[in-house]
Amino acid sequence: MIVGGPRPPPGAPLIAGRELAESPRITSMDADTGRGQPTGGAPLSDIGGPDATVRATARALAKVDSAVALVLVEGILDEIALRAVATARGRDLDAERIVIVPIGGAHAIGRFLTSLGPLATRVRLAGLCDLREAELFRRAVAAHVGSDLTGTDMERLGFHVCDRDLEDELIRALGPEEVQALFDAEGDLGLFRQFQSQPAWRGRQIEAQIYRFLRSSGSRNLRYTRLLAEAAVRQGRPPRPLDALLTAV
């Protein structure tokens, strides 16, 4: 799932980001409230800029030489969710030298794997993508390993698929009642009720209403990606693909 900023242009050498100086550990800022949230990844206040995906990729690539595992994801929301689940499970991915790399969209997966060169044989590779992008990931990884792969093969290698997409997985893992309780705790339940009363959404399934409410605001989606992931782990219901991926690495 991608948010903020364009994809790198076709043919751009993604691995060139390794030449950039590693950014210091940053405390992220809540995109709606400005409250600091330590994530170990990109600051949420920095995500919405025009080159957000490129910057996030460069930050990750600056760490790959010392990595023991690279987790390739479509965009920054995936990184936020994975880090939130890992942290809620008591893991420090930075200390474990597990680097999450937002590659700027599923279409970049083949070029990215090629750009890794010999490094790809020295680190564990894993990944996460949406259902509609699963075939792109499967073909690229199959070409990388030199053999055809089934969905089961992909999971065995550490590549997992969100059933529909990340937001859908988070909503389903937590359940609509718990999501609404979280809206209430965050002071957003009134806004959600207003959204539900709009003619286009009145009477629709609650899951569809929540999904659209989250995606109707980029800053809201960023904030709740982390909050929903953390809440799902607290409830003992982390989204299956995220949980399985982190178990694999």
Side-chain angles (χ1 to χ4, degrees), residues 1-8 53-54 56-57 71-79 82 100-109 126-134 136-137 160-162 164-166:
M1 180 61 59
I2 303 173
V3 63
R7 296 176 177 176
T53 297
V54 174
T57 303
V71 179
L72 311 182
V73 299
E74 293 186 63
I76 300 170
L77 284 179
D78 306 293
E79 178 181 2
L82 283 167
I100 302 174
V101 187
I103 61 174
H107 285 81
I109 181 67
L128 182 74
C129 67
D130 295 342
L131 180 61
R132 64 180 173 271
E133 314 292 4
L136 288 172
F137 264 56
H160 295 268
V161 177
C162 291
R164 187 184 182 185
D165 58 23
L166 177 63

Side-chain angles (χ1 to χ4, degrees), residues 75-202:
I76 300 170
L77 284 179
D78 306 293
E79 178 181 2
I80 291 171
L82 283 167
R83 284 188 175 276
V85 172
T87 300
R89 287 172 50 172
R91 295 182 61 180
D92 184 339
L93 298 184
D94 292 329
E96 296 177 39
R97 294 189 292 155
I98 296 171
V99 178
I100 302 174
V101 187
I103 61 174
H107 285 81
I109 181 67
R111 177 162 48 88
F112 188 88
L113 289 171
T114 300
S115 296
L116 288 175
L119 178 66
T121 65
R122 294 192 284 108
V123 298
R124 174 72 187 272
L125 294 176
L128 182 74
C129 67
D130 295 342
L131 180 61
R132 64 180 173 271
E133 314 292 4
E135 181 62 15
L136 288 172
F137 264 56
R138 189 196 65 77
R139 290 202 305 264
V141 176
H144 176 69
V145 301
S147 65
D148 196 17
L149 298 171
T150 66
T152 300
D153 295 330
M154 289 287 285
E155 291 198 356
R156 177 176 51 81
L157 291 172
F159 288 82
H160 295 268
V161 177
C162 291
D163 191 358
R164 187 184 182 185
D165 58 23
L166 177 63
E167 291 93 338
D168 189 62
E169 288 281 0
L170 292 169
I171 293 166
R172 187 154 22 88
L174 197 56
E177 294 305 319
E178 292 292 339
V179 174
Q180 290 177 90
L182 186 57
F183 287 164
D184 193 16
E186 291 293 309
D188 288 328
L189 188 59
L191 284 174
F192 179 60
R193 295 289 182 244
Q194 291 177 28
F195 176 83
Q196 287 180 298
S197 70
Q198 294 178 9
W201 291 96
R202 193 179 302 144

